[in-house]
Amino acid sequence: MALSFGKAAYAKVVQRLIERIYHNSALQDSIYEQAVSWFAGQEQRQQQLANAQQQLFLFENRQQQSSKANQAAITRNLRLAEAQQKTLEEEIEENNFLRFQALQQLCRDILSLCQGDTFTETNSYSAKMLGTIQLICPTRGKNIQKENQKARHLYKAILSIRFLDRLVLDGLIDNPFIIDRFQQSKHLHYHDDTEYHPYRDDVHVPVLMAAILQDIGRSHPSCLAILKGPEGTFDEFRELDAQERITYLQANYNATLSYVQEALGTGRYMGRDKEERDRFLQTEIEKRELIIALIKQAARPASELGNILKIPQIYTSMILSTKLVYNYEDLPKAALALEKSAEQAKLDQQAVVAFLRIVGMFPQGYGVPYIPKDSDGHDMERYEYAIVTGLYPPELKKPICRIVTYSLTYQASARGCVISAENNLYFPQARRKLEFIPEERLLEIMRKLVYNFEERMSSPLLPRCWHPDEYFINQKNQNLWNKAAMLQN
């Protein structure tokens, strides 16, 4: 069932999705908290199963070797051992199913927010989710790393399905299972909750699952010990040395595969038709195989399936960075870093081009200062603020934005704008256009645009970016993605 919410509540809905994936709460019910609990009890479960199997084996042997006088007592003990083993296995299976069900529902809820009935609508909804994640995450202060760690799983998951769609449309995916489900779904309505939709249910949901679970191994005790130290006193966001990093990545990868294969069940067939049931169970196996293949091949980014998770993972790690040194101004460099990796053949060239076609150079929710034009198309002698709000920009360096200040006054957003590199203050050629303006005038512009005095004191007179979080925190300013007239700048 699709999530329902009002305009002002949208950011809260996105925050809740983030918390359902990665959170620290008394309920311990997020996907990553469930994993911490599962890994912590893994050894005990294995021991319980081993003990139950040993008991069963023991009584089976005794039954074969005992006299008739002892048969009745041994049979009772054998049946008791069988019942105990069955109960234990059923309990494990039920818990696995409940974890799978919670993850599946989470993925369906994500899709209800980022998937529309048309290509344009879908990209608008996805831009809204990605931009909202960026805008509710802090870009200054002490909690950047922790909040980015929570949010990056959802961010990467949305990018992964949008990237998958682009690769399929460009003919860069030849996986038979994915292509078959895509072809089957071309004329089906995406959001019919009562009907089976092959591409949504068999491809989009598993890709979202794989993206969310890709780093689930970090919840394993061995990974936590590396990140936080044996006593839990280390800063988990510190830079690991080379050997620690290799050990951590290997442990994370192995634990992730273990979790997917052992901690998660599959869907349950509810009908009575045997042929339909067999098809359902076969599809569940294929979906599980797709999740595992995506995670495994992401470690080999040159592979076709590996790109689906790997490229969004690299990009997200830079946009929602958890490094100790964080510089918001540098976020557009993430796109350039991907380009460089492709040039060096570290990533597939065609895949990177396809990905950058979606995201452009400026991430969703990024604050862009720009030089507006007057009614005659001439540059004005000031700058204004805009926020990046659209995927698929016309060119890499021309972000689709929403204008948020007019004549140096903040207003609820009503107009959109495609900002050229020539008028985007991120680029030196745009800043040079305003260098002739007296310092007093630049200080006056800053006083009108910058929210607080501390930020004003540390900001350059011609800023390369601005921080829109304080603007966005006001609920009336959160409707940045409604339809609006678009200007060219």
Side-chain angles (χ1 to χ4, degrees), residues 371 380-383 425 427-442 445 461-464:
I371 302 169
M380 302 178 79
E381 295 182 1
R382 67 169 189 267
Y383 62 86
L425 293 196
F427 298 106
Q429 64 263 40
R431 295 196 300 277
R432 281 195 290 269
K433 286 184 178 184
L434 299 181
E435 284 178 347
F436 72 91
I437 296 176
E439 186 175 322
E440 294 76 16
R441 173 59 177 156
L442 291 175
I445 292 172
L461 291 174
L462 292 173
R464 296 178 68 192

Side-chain angles (χ1 to χ4, degrees), residues 291-306:
I291 294 170
I292 293 170
L294 285 163
I295 291 171
K296 282 184 174 180
Q297 293 188 37
R300 294 161 41 220
S303 68
E304 165 210 318
L305 280 182

Side-chain angles (χ1 to χ4, degrees), residues 156 160 163 211 214 245 249 294-318 338 346-348 352 355:
K156 178 184 67 174
S160 295
F163 184 38
Q214 188 184 10
R245 181 167 173 75
L249 291 174
L294 285 163
I295 291 171
K296 282 184 174 180
Q297 293 188 37
R300 294 161 41 220
S303 68
E304 165 210 318
L305 280 182
N307 291 321
I308 296 171
L309 295 191
K310 188 63 180 180
I311 291 175
Q313 180 190 39
I314 293 169
Y315 180 79
T316 301
S317 72
M318 292 183 278
L338 286 179
K346 294 178 181 176
L347 294 172
D348 180 81
V352 168
F355 184 79

Side-chain angles (χ1 to χ4, degrees), residues 252-307:
N252 186 351
Y253 176 77
N254 291 335
T256 293
L257 289 178
S258 171
Y259 189 82
V260 173
Q261 293 167 326
E262 299 173 37
L264 294 177
T266 58
R268 289 178 176 174
Y269 178 68
M270 305 305 289
R272 296 185 177 182
D273 186 297
K274 185 182 184 301
E275 286 187 13
E276 192 178 73
R277 176 181 176 275
D278 290 344
R279 282 197 300 272
F280 177 87
L281 293 177
Q282 179 59 32
T283 299
E284 289 300 298
I285 291 170
E286 290 176 300
K287 284 155 63 175
R288 171 65 65 88
E289 288 174 348
L290 176 60
I291 294 170
I292 293 170
L294 285 163
I295 291 171
K296 282 184 174 180
Q297 293 188 37
R300 294 161 41 220
S303 68
E304 165 210 318
L305 280 182
N307 291 321

Side-chain angles (χ1 to χ4, degrees), residues 52-82:
Q53 288 164 356
Q54 189 176 13
Q55 282 287 95
L56 193 59
F57 180 73
L58 179 68
F59 287 121
E60 284 172 344
N61 274 351
R62 284 185 182 176
Q63 189 179 46
Q64 293 170 7
Q65 298 170 10
S66 66
S67 63
K68 287 185 179 181
N70 295 328
Q71 279 288 328
I74 291 173
T75 299
R76 281 196 301 274
N77 286 331
L78 177 60
R79 287 175 181 168
L80 182 61
E82 288 172 340

Side-chain angles (χ1 to χ4, degrees), residues 111-156:
L111 288 171
S112 75
L113 290 185
C114 70
Q115 192 77 27
D117 292 324
T118 66
F119 185 74
T120 301
E121 210 175 60
T122 293
N123 288 319
S124 177
Y125 293 164
S126 298
K128 184 175 183 178
M129 278 195 82
L130 292 166
T132 299
I133 293 169
Q134 175 68 76
L135 287 161
I136 63 177
C137 285
T139 55
R140 294 165 293 195
K142 297 179 180 177
N143 294 318
I144 293 173
Q145 289 77 21
K146 285 186 178 180
E147 294 305 313
N148 284 354
Q149 179 66 52
K150 292 178 184 177
R152 65 198 315 186
H153 309 285
L154 178 59
Y155 193 91
K156 178 184 67 174

